[in-house]
Amino acid sequence: MASVEIRNLRKSYATTHVIKDVSIDVDDGQFVVLVGPSGCGKSTLLRMIAGLETISGGEVQIDGAVMNAVPPKERDIAMVFQNYALYPHMTVAENMGFSLKLKKVSKAEIRAKVERAADILSLSHLLDRRPKQLSGGQRQRVAMGRAIVRDPKVFLFDEPLSNLDAKLRVQMRTEIKALHQRLGSTMVYVTHDQIEALTMADKIVLMNDGRVEQMGPPLELYDRPANLFVASFIGSPSMNFFDGTIENGAFRTTSGVVLPLAQIPSGAEGRPLVYGIRPEHLQLGGAGGVAVEVAVIEPAGSETQLYGKLGTDDLVGVFRERLSARPGESVTVTPSSEQVHLFDKATGNRL
Amino acid sequence: MESRKEVIAGHLVLIFGALIALHPFVSIILQALTPAPGSTATGWTLENFIGAWTRGGFSQSLVNSAIVAFAVVFVTAVAAVLAGYVLSVLKFRWRVAVFALLMIGLVLPSEARIIPLYNFFSSTGLLNTYWALILPQIASSLPLATFWMANYFAQLPNSLAEAASLDGAGEFEILRYIYAPLGLSAVLTLSCLIFLYTWNEFMLALVLMPDNVAVQTAPLSLSFFAGNERTTEPEVIAAAAVLVALPVVLAYFFLQRRFMSGLLEGAVK
């Protein structure tokens, strides 16, 4: 186990800057998720920690030691790749024991460690198979087993679940989290899926265009997004945004709809703002509600999603109640004024 | 999906091509099995083969061919695996230039090399030895072999080498434990090709080992034998040709499909 410190890290390919002055602290035993849209630099950052990409500027430290010039094999890091990268000509046991074989560990000890890891991951009956004889989920487990066997300082995961089907993804998500709780290891996990990030992380680092937009505990990003990008990225369905201004103590959208506010930040009045409210923070009916024209209703069993128009703006609502409204009809919804987020229209930052 | 008509048309074209390719083979085998003039045998006979074997001294020349071919195949395969790995996996600075230089060997006609080679081996005293045939053929096989292996290694996912390096493997260990075993099928296919090519080599043998019967290869022996017997017994020459070609045909049949099935399946995804 170890801590990872990233200081002012930069990565450039010729004139293209893919990582721009990123600093992150990963505490010993912490599960940190790097999340962001495709091309935001999260995988590159992970590969720089692993030593698979050179560093253009700044530092990567593991347990206080600068790793910039240390080759991957000396960093004591294990990585689970998106495509698993299992050695196709080796059995599951050989795949898992390969690193120990290179370290000249005795065969008996390799066997014991491989069996222990296989036991944790329910792979014991598959040890003599080759990767091509395994299902996607099993291959994923072998890739994790290969990492566990080494007992590394840091585990890195590069979108490990994106090749699995939806059901298996949810199952493996839980397994990885359980594994982290069991091993207590330092883990850095890359994903583009904000649900994975929210459910698994101790700390989320939300990246965009090579920069960190916000980092912190998952619910902090959900409850207090630092800017419009974070607000729109975290949460599914995405937060509703309405352009407008505060006039006479209320928010008036550009299409003239008046929305409730619990409190008005100082200096907010009169300037262009964005009013953000999450779909799950809308209630059906209520006094002081606004009329929404229904476009589509999507019943999902435990909840119902409503897609409609608030004035000229699009609106999404998620409700526990079942809705019988038809497209074109109007329903009244009330934003929970305590859950409103206000952003500066010009900078995108939270007020 | 192809229609039935397309399948039939495709097969007709292939059958026509196969007939053209097989015709010389079949006709020479039939001729070799036909009794030679003055023979007492009737119908098919193997006596032409016996005659060619005893009169042509092919036992020694077949051994010579085997020595040359196996030496060339072995050295080329080992060198091609090493060079292919370096050129496809290690991203060193002059990689493209080195690759381009190597590829010149692919376009240089072999005839252009023969006179300088003769002078070289003559001055080093290696004329009429195995070396005169082994060394130039390693050199001429290496560009294609390196290209072949580099191409194969380049198709393997980078993540295999990356995973191995994180597992603690250095470059040599990555080659030894990951790339070389995975490249085995490509090496065997390549070896088969080089073996065919080297076995059938005639021009170099004719120029570089004309005076030493003890090291002459089978195609050269066949040529001398045919020169001596040309006018009298074409059936025996046909039998000699079949004897000389037989090892290559056998090698082809044994190696062609055996290791072709990809080991890579299941590596990723």
Side-chain angles (χ1 to χ4, degrees):
Chain A
M1 289 202 292
S3 61
V4 178
E5 295 94 47
I6 293 164
R7 295 268 163 273
N8 308 106
L9 204 64
R10 283 181 285 115
K11 174 74 184 173
S12 309
Y13 297 102
T15 54
T16 313
H17 306 294
V18 288
I19 301 286
K20 303 164 184 169
D21 199 26
V22 167
S23 297
I24 301 168
D25 283 336
V26 181
D27 296 338
D28 194 359
Q30 203 171 31
F31 196 117
V32 169
V33 175
L34 306 179
V35 66
S38 294
C40 72
K42 55 193 188 297
S43 280
T44 307
L45 182 59
L46 192 80
R47 291 169 59 81
M48 288 164 88
I49 300 174
L52 299 172
E53 297 282 347
T54 55
I55 291 169
S56 307
E59 269 180 10
V60 171
Q61 296 180 11
I62 296 175
D63 261 350
V66 178
M67 289 287 134
N68 289 30
V70 177
K73 67 171 187 164
E74 287 163 27
R75 294 194 183 194
D76 198 10
I77 276 177
M79 183 158 163
V80 177
F81 291 82
Q82 182 176 356
N83 61 15
Y84 319 140
L86 300 180
Y87 312 127
H89 56 300
M90 297 185 194
T91 63
V92 168
E94 287 166 344
N95 262 283
M96 288 166 69
F98 182 61
S99 60
L100 301 177
K101 181 179 165 185
L102 290 174
K103 280 189 196 159
K104 312 259 186 267
V105 174
S106 74
K107 278 189 179 165
E109 196 181 332
I110 293 177
R111 190 81 206 168
K113 285 193 170 179
V114 166
E115 280 172 2
R116 203 175 316 139
D119 190 40
I120 292 174
L121 295 163
S122 314
L123 286 170
S124 302
H125 60 298
L126 301 172
L127 285 176
D128 294 325
R129 301 243 187 116
R130 286 184 199 277
K132 70 175 172 188
Q133 298 167 303
L134 303 178
S135 70
Q138 288 168 335
R139 284 179 204 174
Q140 178 57 253
R141 280 203 197 91
V142 176
M144 293 205 293
R146 195 164 65 177
I148 294 173
V149 163
R150 291 190 35 209
D151 192 19
K153 281 184 177 169
V154 184
F155 285 84
L156 305 179
F157 295 86
D158 188 5
E159 307 219 20
L161 305 185
S162 48
N163 286 350
L164 302 179
D165 63 51
K167 194 176 170 191
L168 203 52
R169 199 151 48 203
V170 174
Q171 185 192 335
M172 290 304 294
R173 198 166 79 194
T174 316
E175 284 190 27
I176 293 176
K177 178 126 191 186
L179 188 70
H180 175 248
Q181 285 162 358
R182 177 171 181 163
L183 301 176
S185 314
T186 310
M187 294 186 176
V188 182
Y189 186 106
V190 161
T191 180
H192 61 269
D193 181 348
Q194 50 98 20
I195 299 287
E196 267 176 42
L198 285 170
T199 51
M200 299 173 86
D202 294 326
K203 174 154 108 178
I204 292 181
V205 177
L206 177 51
M207 294 183 66
N208 183 34
D209 193 25
R211 289 194 181 82
V212 174
E213 294 281 351
Q214 187 174 0
M215 66 181 134
L219 291 181
E220 186 181 304
L221 272 72
Y222 177 84
D223 291 334
R224 294 188 56 78
N227 54 43
L228 279 171
F229 178 81
V230 179
S232 64
F233 194 87
I234 298 287
S236 176
S238 192
M239 189 186 280
N240 296 296
F241 297 111
F242 307 103
D243 289 353
T245 49
I246 294 173
E247 291 171 16
N248 308 321
F251 188 91
R252 185 180 291 273
T253 70
T254 45
S255 58
V257 180
V258 175
L259 295 167
L261 278 174
Q263 54 187 13
I264 298 164
S266 60
E269 213 150 333
R271 54 200 258 221
L273 298 175
V274 179
Y275 181 103
I277 182 83
R278 293 200 181 277
E280 54 273 33
H281 295 149
L282 295 169
Q283 286 143 16
L284 280 178
V290 289
V292 173
E293 187 191 332
V294 176
V296 176
I297 301 273
E298 289 183 349
S302 62
E303 59 182 38
T304 306
Q305 296 189 1
L306 177 157
Y307 294 83
K309 286 273 183 195
L310 178 68
T312 54
D313 296 306
D314 291 327
L315 175 138
V316 187
V318 176
F319 307 102
R320 285 280 164 203
E321 300 90 338
R322 302 205 165 167
L323 281 172
S324 54
R326 296 180 170 282
E329 290 179 5
S330 180
V331 292
T332 303
V333 302
T334 309
S336 165
S337 59
E338 297 294 329
Q339 311 278 9
V340 170
H341 308 264
L342 281 177
F343 302 94
D344 187 300
K345 169 83 173 155
T347 63
N349 290 334
R350 179 186 191 86
L351 293 188
Chain B
M1 278 292 281
E2 295 123 349
S3 72
R4 200 179 159 74
K5 272 183 190 169
E6 283 172 320
V7 171
I8 291 172
H11 277 78
L12 284 177
V13 171
L14 290 174
I15 288 167
F16 183 67
L19 286 177
I20 291 175
L22 279 175
H23 175 257
F25 272 115
V26 174
S27 60
I28 207 160
I29 289 171
L30 291 179
Q31 192 175 21
L33 291 169
T34 311
S39 165
T40 54
T42 52
W44 303 127
T45 174
L46 289 175
E47 66 179 23
N48 294 333
F49 290 92
I50 298 162
W53 185 263
T54 48
R55 277 148 54 193
F58 285 107
S59 56
Q60 181 59 44
S61 64
L62 285 171
V63 169
N64 292 340
S65 275
I67 289 170
V68 170
F70 280 112
V72 170
V73 165
F74 179 76
V75 176
T76 308
V78 171
V81 167
L82 292 168
Y85 179 79
V86 168
L87 287 171
S88 64
V89 180
L90 304 185
K91 306 280 187 262
F92 64 96
R93 195 169 166 191
W94 301 106
R95 196 171 68 106
V96 176
V98 170
F99 210 80
L101 200 64
L102 199 65
M103 289 307 109
I104 292 176
L106 276 182
V107 293
L108 204 64
S110 58
E111 288 76 8
R113 288 180 285 207
I114 285 186
I115 303 302
L117 280 173
Y118 182 86
N119 291 335
F120 172 76
F121 284 115
S122 169
S123 65
T124 50
L126 293 175
L127 218 55
N128 291 308
T129 66
Y130 290 129
W131 295 114
L133 214 47
I134 291 172
L135 294 176
Q137 292 198 90
I138 290 171
S140 61
S141 305
L142 208 48
L144 176 70
T146 304
F147 179 71
W148 183 283
M149 289 316 299
N151 226 5
Y152 185 82
F153 287 151
Q155 288 168 13
L156 297 177
N158 285 339
S159 54
L160 287 179
E162 290 174 351
S165 73
L166 285 165
D167 269 345
E171 293 298 348
F172 185 74
E173 285 157 324
I174 293 173
L175 175 62
R176 183 183 160 195
Y177 291 114
I178 312 294
Y179 276 69
L182 287 175
L184 195 63
S185 61
V187 169
L188 287 167
T189 314
L190 174 70
S191 300
C192 193
L193 276 177
I194 298 174
F195 184 84
L196 299 184
Y197 184 79
T198 312
W199 187 274
N200 291 328
E201 211 299 319
F202 175 71
M203 183 76 104
L204 277 176
L206 182 66
V207 176
L208 300 176
M209 45 172 51
D211 305 326
N212 186 354
V213 178
V215 296
Q216 274 169 6
T217 53
L220 192 59
S221 290
L222 176 64
S223 166
F224 289 159
F225 181 68
N228 297 340
E229 312 273 333
R230 181 166 292 144
T231 50
T232 53
E233 291 177 300
E235 291 81 5
V236 180
I237 296 166
V242 171
L243 285 177
V244 169
L246 201 59
V248 206
V249 175
L250 289 179
Y252 178 74
F253 275 113
F254 278 114
L255 284 175
Q256 78 160 336
R257 280 187 183 271
R258 203 163 163 188
F259 299 100
M260 304 282 174
S261 60
L263 274 167
L264 189 61
E265 199 187 333
V268 294
K269 279 229 165 180

